């Protein structure tokens, strides 16, 4: 027996964050001859407020075609079907240029696709393959590449181009394209058949330049997702701190420790070394403004400081072999599904925080001005050092990739919002 899904009372558009009732949803004409939209241009399929439906409630356009897609009444961009039936979880991903956001995202989503259904009884699929096309391409290039010994590169997140949708209001407004994933509890999961059993995960990956002062304007609201986000992942690259980098030079010969080797980053890396804390402070300023949080108030929204390039500095927290690093989850006593191990995450977070406080004390202090719930999670999106390719650029070969703990920030976040169960089990590191 199946339970009929009910429409949510309020919908938040994942593109423009407009809040609306389901009855205000626009239908997208299925007939190819019905084109022209006031927001998206002459070539876009016609959007309209439907008044004809079939017996299943599917909208019918003026030519009698059944409409497969729904759209936001504000921006007119297509919204995936599951958004209308389950809650959406917004995650803001923030970090300076060259912090490794693209590599981290690629490794994280690829791992979650297999890990969640295999051990947590939860599927993790693309809500919109077209929107997710860049990350799907990155996953294929890094992890499903038949030429495993051929160097590959992932482009940095760009502040313009295909990462944005342009919508015409009184003037053109560009919206950052989200990555959208469907989380669905499978049989054996505690949320199976319940409201939280079907959720949409909305990830927003901004270019570091989007957090430059003055970059967030009414026609470029690239970071307005901060108003609705349920968690913030701040990617911190400790190698961009000169003192930390010098300490790592005594334990590693990774080429990333020599700034001259990072030609593909040119001046961007030098700028980023000066800007990580500045970007964090600008993010905090916008967060407070959008949510109207006073300077003396704090938020319980989780801040996950994702400390990248763990393979280089792991020995500084007593981990000499990251290949033997334990996962952040264990099977529950019922053995039907896994739970997120809060003990392991908290223990490692405390170690990493102490290390970052030693070299970047002002950054740690600034996080505590706004956030109550802070975790420092180490990740390595590659698990190995890059090598120079034929063009002299640092790159990775798929056969060398062994990511470590990239899934942990998301598993922790899903646990915080009761989509995954938690457990506390002592693990020796």
């Amino acid at each position: 027996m199946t339970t009929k899904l009910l429409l949510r009372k309020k919908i938040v558009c994942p593109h423009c964050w407009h809040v609306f009732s389901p009855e205000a949803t626009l239908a997208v004409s299925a007939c190819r001859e019905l084109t022209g939209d006031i927001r998206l241009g002459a070539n876009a399929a016609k959007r309209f407020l439907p008044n004809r439906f079939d017996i299943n409630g599917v909208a019918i356009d003026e030519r009698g075609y059944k409409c497969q897609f729904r759209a936001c009444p504000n921006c007119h961009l297509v919204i995936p079907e599951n958004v209308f039936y389950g809650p959406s979880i917004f995650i803001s991903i923030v970090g300076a240029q060259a912090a490794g956001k693209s590599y981290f995202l690629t490794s994280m989503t690829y791992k979650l696709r297999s890990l969640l259904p295999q051990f947590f009884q939860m599927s993790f699929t693309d809500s919109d393959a077209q929107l997710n096309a860049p990350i799907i391409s990155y996953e294929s290039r890094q992890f499903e590449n038949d030429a495993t010994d051929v160097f590959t590169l992932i482009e940095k997140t760009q502040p313009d181009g295909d990462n944005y949708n342009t919508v015409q209001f009184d003037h053109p407004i560009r919206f950052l394209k989200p990555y959208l994933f469907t989380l669905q509890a499978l049989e054996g999961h505690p949320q199976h058949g319940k409201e939280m059993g079907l959720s949409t995960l909305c990830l927003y990956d901004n270019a570091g330049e989007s957090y430059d002062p003055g970059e967030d304007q009414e026609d470029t609201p690239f970071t307005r997702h901060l108003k609705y986000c349920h968690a913030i992942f701040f990617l911190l690259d400790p190698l961009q701190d000169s003192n930390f980098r010098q300490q790592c030079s005594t334990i590693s010969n990774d080429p990333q420790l020599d700034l001259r080797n990072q030609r593909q980053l040119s001046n961007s890396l030098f700028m980023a070394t000066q800007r990580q804390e500045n970007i964090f402070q600008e993010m905090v300023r916008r967060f407070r403004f959008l949510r109207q949080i006073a300077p003396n108030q704090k938020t319980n929204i989780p801040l996950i400081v994702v400390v990248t390039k763990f393979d280089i500095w792991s020995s500084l927290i007593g981990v000499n072999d990251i290949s033997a690093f334990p996962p952040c989850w264990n099977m529950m006593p019922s053995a039907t599904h896994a739970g997120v191990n809060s003990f392991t995450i908290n223990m490692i977070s405390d170690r990493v925080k102490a290390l970052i406080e030693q070299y970047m004390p002002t950054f740690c202090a600034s996080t505590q001005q706004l956030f109550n719930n802070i975790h420092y999670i180490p990740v390595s999106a590659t698990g190995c050092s890059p090598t120079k390719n034929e063009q002299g650029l640092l790159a990775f070969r798929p056969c060398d990739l062994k990511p470590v703990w990239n899934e942990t920030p998301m598993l922790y976040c899903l646990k915080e919002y009761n989509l995954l169960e938690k457990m506390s089990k002592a693990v020796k590191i």
Side-chain angles (χ1 to χ4, degrees):
M1 179 178 178
T2 59
T3 301
K4 184 176 180 180
L5 293 172
L6 300 176
L7 285 171
R8 295 184 63 78
K9 294 181 180 179
K10 292 292 181 182
I11 312 297
V12 179
C13 174
H15 304 285
C16 69
W17 311 290
H18 176 64
V19 182
F20 61 97
S21 301
E23 56 267 22
T25 305
L26 301 182
V28 181
S29 294
C31 178
R32 294 183 180 181
E33 297 177 0
L34 296 176
T35 58
D37 181 74
I38 190 173
R39 295 276 187 261
L40 304 179
N43 295 324
K46 182 179 179 179
R47 271 67 167 163
F48 65 100
L49 188 64
N51 56 19
R52 296 173 58 206
F53 302 88
D54 70 5
I55 58 173
N56 295 312
V58 177
I60 299 174
D61 67 22
E62 61 189 77
R63 297 290 178 86
Y65 287 78
K66 294 182 180 181
C67 303
Q68 299 184 42
F69 302 107
R70 310 187 198 198
C72 169
N74 181 55
C75 67
H76 291 202
L77 294 170
V78 171
I79 298 177
E81 189 72 9
N82 48 283
V83 171
F84 294 90
Y85 294 98
S88 295
I89 300 173
F90 298 104
I91 308 292
S92 299
I93 300 172
V94 187
Q97 301 172 46
K101 293 193 298 297
S102 296
Y103 280 95
F104 162 70
L105 262 175
T106 301
S107 178
M108 179 184 72
T109 56
Y110 185 78
K111 180 70 173 180
L112 291 173
R113 292 183 193 277
S114 58
L115 180 70
L116 285 175
Q118 184 176 3
F119 295 103
F120 290 88
Q121 299 302 308
M122 175 175 283
S123 64
F124 181 83
T125 56
D126 298 297
S127 301
D128 187 320
Q130 186 173 358
L131 276 177
N132 289 4
I135 208 164
I136 293 172
S137 174
Y138 295 159
E139 289 179 11
S140 298
R141 212 181 305 172
Q142 292 286 89
F143 300 106
E144 296 179 347
N145 194 335
D146 290 336
T148 60
D149 59 347
V150 176
F151 288 109
T152 62
L153 283 169
I154 290 181
E155 298 81 9
K156 71 177 288 293
T157 305
Q158 298 297 326
D160 51 21
D162 293 338
N163 295 324
Y164 303 87
N165 281 309
T166 299
V167 179
Q168 185 67 44
F169 292 88
D170 293 335
H171 56 278
I173 295 180
R174 289 194 298 153
F175 293 105
L176 176 69
K177 291 180 180 180
Y179 293 123
L180 302 179
F181 298 91
T182 300
L183 295 164
Q184 187 159 13
L186 306 175
E187 190 172 350
H189 189 283
Q191 292 290 349
H192 179 65
K194 300 179 182 178
E195 180 186 9
M196 296 296 289
L198 178 69
S199 304
T200 303
L201 184 64
C202 310
L203 305 181
Y204 298 94
D205 175 24
N206 285 102
E209 296 92 333
S210 296
Y211 286 93
D212 288 342
E215 284 299 309
D216 188 86
Q217 302 291 337
E218 289 304 314
D219 59 345
T220 55
F222 298 155
T223 62
R224 301 289 171 91
H225 47 80
L226 291 169
K227 181 176 181 179
Y228 295 98
C229 70
H230 296 85
I232 294 174
F233 293 177
F234 187 88
L235 268 71
L236 181 71
D237 179 2
L239 301 189
Q240 294 183 19
D241 178 83
S242 58
N243 292 328
F244 194 100
R245 193 167 58 249
Q246 286 180 350
Q247 183 63 33
C248 288
S249 297
T250 66
I251 59 172
S252 173
N253 59 359
D254 191 290
Q256 294 172 98
L257 295 170
D258 186 345
L259 302 188
R260 293 171 298 181
N261 282 336
Q262 303 223 21
R263 295 178 185 174
Q264 67 267 40
L265 302 176
S266 62
N267 293 330
S268 296
L269 183 60
F270 173 77
M271 291 173 60
T273 63
Q274 311 300 321
R275 292 173 60 243
Q276 290 195 96
E277 188 175 330
N278 291 343
I279 285 178
F280 183 83
Q281 292 289 6
E282 177 64 15
M283 181 272 293
V284 167
R285 186 194 68 77
R286 297 182 191 182
F287 186 94
R288 286 191 184 277
F289 173 76
L290 292 168
R291 299 193 179 217
Q292 292 296 287
I293 298 176
N296 62 340
Q297 292 180 323
K298 300 176 76 171
T299 179
N300 292 321
I301 293 293
L303 169 67
I304 300 177
V305 182
V306 181
V307 190
T308 60
K309 301 171 185 176
F310 184 41
D311 55 292
I312 298 176
W313 54 269
S314 61
S315 62
L316 297 179
I317 62 166
V319 178
N320 296 314
D321 182 10
I322 63 169
S323 66
F325 202 54
C328 71
W329 53 271
N330 299 93
M331 295 303 296
M332 298 293 288
S334 64
T336 60
H337 61 280
V340 179
N341 193 331
S342 298
F343 180 91
T344 301
I345 293 176
N346 292 335
M347 178 179 63
I348 293 299
S349 174
D350 289 343
R351 287 194 197 180
V352 176
K353 179 185 178 183
L355 180 67
I356 299 302
E357 279 183 323
Q358 180 179 352
Y359 293 99
M360 306 173 68
T362 56
F363 175 82
C364 290
S366 64
T367 64
Q368 298 173 51
Q369 294 174 2
L370 174 61
F371 296 96
N372 288 316
N373 185 354
I374 308 170
H375 280 76
Y376 288 76
I377 296 182
V379 305
S380 175
T382 60
C384 63
S385 299
T387 307
K388 284 188 177 181
N389 62 14
E390 296 82 357
Q391 290 76 40
L393 302 178
L394 293 178
F396 298 90
R397 297 182 303 175
C399 61
D400 296 329
L401 298 176
K402 300 177 182 65
V404 176
W405 258 43
N406 288 270
E407 69 279 9
T408 302
M410 187 58 69
L411 294 182
Y412 173 82
C413 181
L414 297 179
K415 182 266 299 182
E416 285 289 277
Y417 286 97
N418 299 316
L419 287 171
L420 299 179
E421 289 194 89
K422 66 178 179 179
M423 64 183 308
S424 291
K425 180 180 179 181
V427 175
K428 185 177 180 180
I429 304 295

